[in-house]
Amino acid sequence: MATIKEIKAILESIDSLDHPTWASYEADGRKGVERAVRQRKKTIQANHDEETRLENMLTYEKSLYAEGYELIAGIDEVGRGPLAGPVVAACVILPKNEKIVGLDDSKKIPKKKHDAIYQEVLKRALAVGVGIVEASVIDSVNIYEATKLAMLAALDDLPIRPDYLLIDAMKLDCPIPQQSLIKGDATSLSIAAASIVAKVKRDQLMAEYDSLYPGYGFTKNAGYGTQKHIEGLSKLGITPIHRQSFEPVKSLIEGKDL
């Protein structure tokens, strides 16, 4: 009779829930085998679910491939809402039908997995571009226009020119055919790839700013209006990266109490 260790090794080679071998192991009777069977089936089901999810997130891309487009770029931004720091956009072209396990809207990915998935996107992508628009420009043109500028900058930063754009909830003034997708970072893998690149890039920038301007908690809050950030504003005042057109920064400049 095979040992439990040997059976576990055999189960690792099975990747289908309807494999004929399951019946014999399910009838084994040993608790260790039952547990190994249960765990392996759970893993196979999870892998199947992830494959289905990724396949669904390629729906827009596959439709465009069928129309003859090949270099499809996803574009997304991070940082519209913070009181400090830039808005950052990314533009990513993935290989045709490329699937990256765990890739999703950056807001749905656990923080501890951000860097690993970011590195995987950089490794597999055909091209990546990043656009950064600082707080002073945001104050000058408003956050909506600044977001478009960041996206256009990310597009210009690409080393190769895409033939179609999938953009998260935005339309850009450029000659490349495009489609704006509401919640695109949750429905398109190309946009999701741009989402995680923009998120990690901006978090890196805010960590650098935390060193330059300590006391606001930029590494943890990324410039959003947390209690730590508001306390920093009250005690230390504004910095060059604060958005002076955003409340409560605007009121602080006008001499009002926070």
Side-chain angles (χ1 to χ4, degrees):
M1 177 181 290
T3 65
I4 294 176
K5 183 177 181 180
E6 290 171 337
I7 290 175
K8 284 182 177 180
I10 294 172
L11 293 178
E12 286 297 317
S13 68
I14 300 174
D15 57 9
S16 170
L17 292 176
D18 57 6
H19 195 282
T21 309
W22 287 116
S24 61
Y25 294 127
E26 288 172 335
D28 185 283
R30 285 176 288 176
K31 294 293 184 182
V33 175
E34 289 179 6
R35 185 163 51 250
V37 167
R38 185 168 59 252
Q39 290 174 344
R40 182 56 187 162
K41 281 193 168 185
K42 183 177 180 181
T43 297
I44 292 172
Q45 184 63 56
N47 291 341
H48 173 76
D49 292 344
E50 176 67 356
E51 176 68 17
T52 299
R53 184 187 70 82
L54 293 173
E55 188 69 22
N56 289 337
M57 288 185 71
L58 279 174
T59 299
Y60 291 104
E61 285 85 347
K62 287 195 170 187
S63 177
L64 291 168
Y65 294 145
E67 293 179 30
Y69 295 104
E70 296 183 354
L71 298 175
I72 300 167
I75 303 179
D76 198 10
E77 54 71 33
V78 172
R80 282 201 193 189
L83 308 180
V87 59
V88 177
C91 186
V92 178
I93 303 176
L94 294 175
K96 189 173 183 179
N97 295 320
E98 185 72 18
K99 297 174 185 174
I100 299 175
V101 173
L103 179 57
D104 202 343
D105 170 6
S106 63
K107 296 183 290 296
K108 297 181 179 179
I109 301 173
K111 181 78 171 178
K112 63 183 180 180
K113 295 184 178 181
H114 279 191
D115 190 63
I117 295 178
Y118 165 75
Q119 294 296 339
E120 199 64 24
V121 170
L122 295 187
K123 176 182 175 182
R124 299 204 206 176
L126 297 176
V128 175
V130 175
I132 300 171
V133 173
E134 300 294 347
S136 59
V137 178
I138 295 172
D139 289 332
S140 175
V141 301
N142 75 50
I143 187 60
Y144 181 78
E145 294 299 325
T147 298
K148 290 197 289 186
L149 290 175
M151 287 182 168
L152 288 170
L155 178 59
D156 288 342
D157 191 48
L158 283 179
I160 58 178
R161 186 173 178 81
D163 52 20
Y164 200 95
L165 308 177
L166 291 174
I167 312 169
D168 186 47
M170 187 74 73
K171 291 185 179 179
L172 299 179
D173 185 15
C174 72
I176 303 174
Q178 61 188 265
Q179 186 173 0
S180 174
L181 302 178
I182 302 301
K183 296 185 179 179
D185 46 9
T187 56
S188 160
L189 276 184
S190 300
I191 297 178
S195 170
I196 192 66
V197 170
K199 174 61 175 171
V200 172
K201 284 287 188 181
R202 191 176 188 280
D203 283 351
Q204 291 171 347
L205 285 172
M206 294 310 295
E208 293 173 9
Y209 283 133
D210 200 7
S211 297
L212 285 174
Y213 309 112
Y216 301 88
F218 290 147
T219 295
K220 290 187 176 180
N221 61 41
Y224 284 88
T226 62
Q227 182 178 348
K228 171 74 173 179
H229 191 172
I230 300 302
E231 289 174 355
L233 281 170
S234 297
K235 295 176 183 178
L236 304 170
I238 67 170
T239 72
I241 68 165
H242 276 99
R243 302 174 183 181
Q244 299 186 23
S245 58
F246 280 42
E247 290 290 2
V249 180
K250 184 178 179 180
S251 291
L252 185 64
I253 294 171
E254 294 173 351
K256 300 176 183 178
D257 293 331
L258 297 184

